[in-house]
Amino acid sequence: MTDTLQSGRNRIQWAKAHMPIVAALGQEFAKTRPFEGLTLGICLHVEAKTGVWLEALTKGGANVVITGSPGTTQDDTAEAIRADYGVQVLGHRNETFDDHIEQCRQVLRAKPQLLSDNGADLHSLLFSEEEFADQIPQVIGATEETTTGATRLRELAPQQSFPTLVINDTQAKRIVENRYGVGSSVVDGIMRATNVMLHGKRVAVIGYGYCGSGVAMRLRGMGAHVTVVEQDPLIRLEAHMEGFPTEDLEPAIGDADMVVTVTGYDGIITREHFPLLKHGVILANAGHFATEMELDYLRSEATQVRRIREQVEAFEFRGKTLYLLSGGNLVNLAAGDGNPVEIMDLGLALQALSLAAMAKNAREYANAPQPVPRGIEMQVARLAVDHWIRKGLS
Amino acid sequence: MTDTLQSGRNRIQWAKAHMPIVAALGQEFAKTRPFEGLTLGICLHVEAKTGVWLEALTKGGANVVITGSPGTTQDDTAEAIRADYGVQVLGHRNETFDDHIEQCRQVLRAKPQLLSDNGADLHSLLFSEEEFADQIPQVIGATEETTTGATRLRELAPQQSFPTLVINDTQAKRIVENRYGVGSSVVDGIMRATNVMLHGKRVAVIGYGYCGSGVAMRLRGMGAHVTVVEQDPLIRLEAHMEGFPTEDLEPAIGDADMVVTVTGYDGIITREHFPLLKHGVILANAGHFATEMELDYLRSEATQVRRIREQVEAFEFRGKTLYLLSGGNLVNLAAGDGNPVEIMDLGLALQALSLAAMAKNAREYANAPQPVPRGIEMQVARLAVDHWIRKGLS
Amino acid sequence: MTDTLQSGRNRIQWAKAHMPIVAALGQEFAKTRPFEGLTLGICLHVEAKTGVWLEALTKGGANVVITGSPGTTQDDTAEAIRADYGVQVLGHRNETFDDHIEQCRQVLRAKPQLLSDNGADLHSLLFSEEEFADQIPQVIGATEETTTGATRLRELAPQQSFPTLVINDTQAKRIVENRYGVGSSVVDGIMRATNVMLHGKRVAVIGYGYCGSGVAMRLRGMGAHVTVVEQDPLIRLEAHMEGFPTEDLEPAIGDADMVVTVTGYDGIITREHFPLLKHGVILANAGHFATEMELDYLRSEATQVRRIREQVEAFEFRGKTLYLLSGGNLVNLAAGDGNPVEIMDLGLALQALSLAAMAKNAREYANAPQPVPRGIEMQVARLAVDHWIRKGLS
Amino acid sequence: MTDTLQSGRNRIQWAKAHMPIVAALGQEFAKTRPFEGLTLGICLHVEAKTGVWLEALTKGGANVVITGSPGTTQDDTAEAIRADYGVQVLGHRNETFDDHIEQCRQVLRAKPQLLSDNGADLHSLLFSEEEFADQIPQVIGATEETTTGATRLRELAPQQSFPTLVINDTQAKRIVENRYGVGSSVVDGIMRATNVMLHGKRVAVIGYGYCGSGVAMRLRGMGAHVTVVEQDPLIRLEAHMEGFPTEDLEPAIGDADMVVTVTGYDGIITREHFPLLKHGVILANAGHFATEMELDYLRSEATQVRRIREQVEAFEFRGKTLYLLSGGNLVNLAAGDGNPVEIMDLGLALQALSLAAMAKNAREYANAPQPVPRGIEMQVARLAVDHWIRKGLS
Ligand SMILES: NC(=O)C1=CN([C@@H]2O[C@H](COP(=O)(O)OP(=O)(O)OC[C@H]3O[C@@H](n4cnc5c(N)ncnc54)[C@H](O)[C@@H]3O)[C@@H](O)[C@H]2O)C=CC1
Ligand SMILES: NC(=O)C1=CN([C@@H]2O[C@H](COP(=O)(O)OP(=O)(O)OC[C@H]3O[C@@H](n4cnc5c(N)ncnc54)[C@H](O)[C@@H]3O)[C@@H](O)[C@H]2O)C=CC1
């Protein structure tokens, strides 16, 4: 056995040990064979958690072709997936974006009846390239991981001829991933990036939605003194009742040892705000876009910018030093280790059951992007209760 | 400027930004010059936090010779310390244990009047080797970082001729380092080692002393379901009142997804207990010794042992898989990033003021190992209030 | 000045000190006079918080006639309201239910243009009694406090000729009252009723909705060991992630020192469950109906029932003693002191602004029961941010 | 059976249901009969919890004479104790202080071999009045509940001829009563006294010792925004690390909606501080003395003082209204319901075992006031683990 094969298998084993829902679905699919005779064309990060999911799909009879996201493929995991589950895995770590697009085409050339997409890459080629015109009617259903992908879809093919279930828009993911998963992985990312102690740190958390409230609670759970900034008065009131001092943006950041943005909007911390910050402040972003802070401005105005730790840049700006984590990118993903395994157990279970539902009877669904039906969401929640809570690990 | 020099300076700058107490002592020492004309012989990890402290000592007039602990010297930091503070730094990353002992001798050959020791290495050579006999009367005082070092001292030289202040035995360190520092760095270490989510995990914390209670509280702060095991009934009662379910060892570990030992004693989890654990359990130690679990036994009885992630070994044992973090070593240090900067700010401030007190009037102290006087401890606490709390960062 | 007048004024002063939103609306209404020339007919508990609100309405030019809920009128407060705000207050502490209905009729006989109702008592007389037929077209708008009242309305007068804004169905109330208010007042009620310590008590909280999650969090905040029982798997998952052990009903109550029901459903703890309870268990209900537990059965099967403290009955049932708080009625209201002042500040502000909106332009609203418009809800939230958070008390 | 007898029995039954340790000691004493042939003379509040304890002592063979504290005797409970346990109970609710002293004399006239004292009233008569001179040598041992009583003793009879074990100075009581018990009963007392919501209230807690840290944690657990004021820098640091913002006294109280003193010292809030307080602030004390605030001054300078609720006085002072709870007396005891039952279970168990130890072999102890021996404290802790934790209620 090669070293890389073993290494890939190790990764998958570790992931599987913490993905009891997808593992259980695999056992069930081995009996019910929902994908018998069907080809699945997939575009998703090729890493260990995906490996566990691919095992489940193939146990269910699926013939699978997958390409990873550009440049994120774990080569050892890919090798194990090929060797152990008979899946055709396209791509590798050092591929270019053009390679990626070509691999997406190869996925479509395998004539899949079901698509599992991420950012609408497969859908978009399917609907836009001549080569795949005949392919469209053969597709019976699809899933799309992201909300952004779903928006893109609605513009691309206003009258698409099959249903696409959008995984991200579920209450289950909002709670498990946004509130709890992000909350803890942001804490993890900040600790790794900085090695500072959170106890006693004054942290301004900007935004108290699903993610922001999770971040605020976990930072508090680590002994930080959190102040919440939130522009919606009703949500601000909620933070206040929950025990968080709330403030308007300017006083809050002027008093902070650390500022974490989690709003999903551009231009939260702008050129007007940088001069208010304290010497030595740490800036981190956990919202979707690095543009929550006006970093271009900061970068151009700073008299010096130095990388002082792997994930920390020091900006000399008007006589103060400001420290930026992970270049303003999502600090939990950039400085940490990505989403915890359990989040993907839940998300990939939603994927697996959505695909199985369409394999069984795609005609029940409208031919358009749409949320995962409540029935499937509840089924996954029930499985989480069974496997995460009732059975524990064993 | 070399790359390594710059890299060392970056490390020290980052540390200094979070060590306001030692930095402020440096400024004061520059005026009061407590170490004028004195040579300090030091044995301590050569890393960035130590660099900030050495700057303060040299500002105070000290002539310094230091050797690191065996094999932990950061070469880039050493280069910056030599270049910027005129300190003689002995040793490098790839040194052997014999190299280390020889470097300790070199420190003594520099004829220091003050010693700062770690594990009693300097003291022990001083008192045992012929070569240093004449040296003894010239030493006016010393510090020793560890409690173990202090115990060793009492045996070595029952009638030593100068005072040695033991840094570790202070309430300030117990609270800041043991309760809060360890609590958060253990959480950090576990998250890094595993990438699992702590929310909802059943964790048995064994031992509820300063460290264990901190670990229990931080894990709870991250959403884990913590059960405490504690043999002292009074302390168990405290955990119970604080909101933790408490149990006897066997039921607690039999129900756990994760077990963390923090007792400071050997043989907590023994050969009798491994069979009780659940398939898939994660085992971690945050107590002083890897021997809190009977790992030799586990290692010899397991049918297979594989490293499955950098800090995770999988043991196949009687039909179950048990996962051990960091080989049973202190999980916060091994899988994490060592003590947070702020802990060292406090600990090194105790060191600096203890050395300065002895430089001023060592005769006030008994000629024996002894705790840091309460006055110095209170002074450090006051500085922490000033610099960590009143002034914040700026 | 009579003693009762002074006592009523004291109560109102205390309430007003903690009702800054309604107090501020009073000042604004004094300028804008939204109710100039209008008569308001009201059915609501006559107590101090209502007094503060009535002051605001009369400052806004309203001519007010009010009757309390049956048997809850505080006579001293009524006296102060009459004396100080010129409001016509009907009813007194010892009135009968028939008295109450007759007083409702008197309210309608005052020919109000605006109604403020509680449980639809005024609406129901208006639509059902011949005497008031001519009155209907003169009513321009109404508010109804309760969801139950709104349901009753929809049946009573399917085509009513004016809008009724239902106060209870707002996110603001759900958060402030259900999650936070009920959470803390339930803790208060239980402590008063029992004088037991919550630290270390095993409490099963049944239902983890807005109220139940608040109850669970506050009990945890007081050191109780809370287990959550929730039948919706998605909500159960949320409780699990939030750090609460969750269980199915039967094991949870069998292990509990205390059981609190908060589901809003009948028959949660039934005849099958009583035998599972531990000797000495304390039973409390915080959901809307005493029927969450099958108390008729318990009462008839118990060999002895004794009132052992003011709010505690001891049931001897099959060799065990079960303790029931407040006869199964809402323990926060029955054993405690009713809703905290601040909750009513928010709720009555919603009332005041809803009435003012209809006074200004009732025709904007559909002629039917309906939720408070989001604009009004946001306005109240903004006022809460201003007066509770920005200004603090002063 | 009279109504008062039944009422007393009910109270004792309720207390006993939550005093499993003392109840279990009673069962053991029934077998071991440690007090066979001995007379116990007691001075302690005559209320239900004491009743449970007296039952245990009499089961152990004791002949008991007891007088309550002045004016706190529950007459119904006294009746039940007399009827059911054959104890001679002196005193009643409406007694004067002189009555009380005379009753103490009567206790001594019963020629007790063991004393259980509260505030040293019995000891002091014994050592000072001629009548009891002969009595002294017959006393073999005693307990004293309070620290103050013990101090008084040391002055009274520097060479006393028997040991007196001081109950209050144990780690068990410090944790269970001061940290956890006081924390929760202060929250209870404030909620009862005021009916305000704690969520979102800015509360300054002055003093972060055993009691103060408990108060701060429970208020936080109820959603308050707590700021800690503590003069000891080391303890302040602990509060800071635990997640509490800390401040110096003046800024903290100037920003507070509520101020709670818990220092044990006089003159914390003085005439200089009252003008800094906000209009509408609520003032409460949980430390031993009402003199933590300079209330005489406030009372004399206020232009008006009115009782506005049962436990609330409103002071008009320099254009602001300040609200004082319970006249500055311990707010948990004055506005609440006294110590929770469980605290007394622990405290009276310490009493019972201390008395039994002296009955068995008083000569093991020095003839002086002294702490409860660690062995007894551990025994009580073990019993708490057994009865509160292992066995739960049943
Ligand atoms: N005590 C008080 O002062 C107040 C009480 N309430 C009452 O409290 C009750 C709950 O209100 P909310 O929490 O706002 O409603 P909600 O609808 O948010 O929550 C109720 C929860 O109970 C769960 N549930 C239902 N049956 C169950 C069962 N058999 N086992 C376990 N869980 C079960 C539901 O799934 C739901 O999550 C209602 O009756 C409401 O009228 C509301 C406001 C004030
Ligand atoms: N409410 C109740 O039922 C009970 C009250 N107590 C009383 O509570 C008080 C406190 O007791 P413990 O917390 O056990 O004592 P403690 O000695 O542990 O704590 C008192 C704290 O107050 C701090 N302090 C003193 N002066 C201060 C100032 N000017 N500003 C800020 N902080 C200051 C001290 O540094 C110390 O940390 C005592 O008077 C005690 O008798 C004790 C038990 C029950």
Side-chain angles (χ1 to χ4, degrees), chain C residues 6 10 13-14 180 192 194 197 199 201-202 218 221 306-307 309 337 341-343 389 393, chain D residues 10 13-14 180 192 194-195 197 199 201-202 218 221 280 306-309 337 341-343 389:
Chain C
Q6 184 55 52
N10 283 348
Q13 183 193 331
W14 177 251
Y180 295 105
R192 287 194 211 203
T194 63
M197 214 201 276
H199 288 282
K201 287 283 178 301
R202 271 164 276 214
R218 279 339 112 198
R306 261 174 324 136
R307 177 155 310 278
R309 276 171 73 94
D337 205 8
V341 188
E342 292 81 354
I343 287 179
I389 305 182
L393 294 172
Chain D
N10 283 348
Q13 183 192 332
W14 177 251
Y180 296 105
R192 287 194 211 202
T194 63
N195 193 28
M197 215 199 278
H199 288 282
K201 287 284 176 301
R202 270 165 276 215
R218 279 339 112 200
R306 258 174 326 133
R307 178 155 310 278
I308 197 169
R309 275 171 74 93
D337 204 7
V341 188
E342 291 81 353
I343 287 180
I389 305 182

Side-chain angles (χ1 to χ4, degrees), chain D residues 323-339:
Chain D
Y323 297 103
L324 177 69
L325 304 192
S326 306
N329 293 306
L330 294 175
V331 69
N332 52 336
L333 302 186
D337 204 7
N339 271 331

Side-chain angles (χ1 to χ4, degrees), chain C residues 177-178 182 186 206-212 229-232 235 262-265 268 286-289 292 330 332-333 339:
Chain C
E177 177 168 343
N178 293 16
V182 172
V186 163
I206 323 294
Y208 192 77
Y210 277 95
C211 292
V229 178
E230 167 61 61
Q231 46 109 28
D232 180 312
I235 300 180
V262 221
T263 70
Y265 292 92
I268 299 300
H288 201 69
F289 303 105
E292 298 214 4
L330 295 174
N332 53 336
L333 302 186
N339 271 330

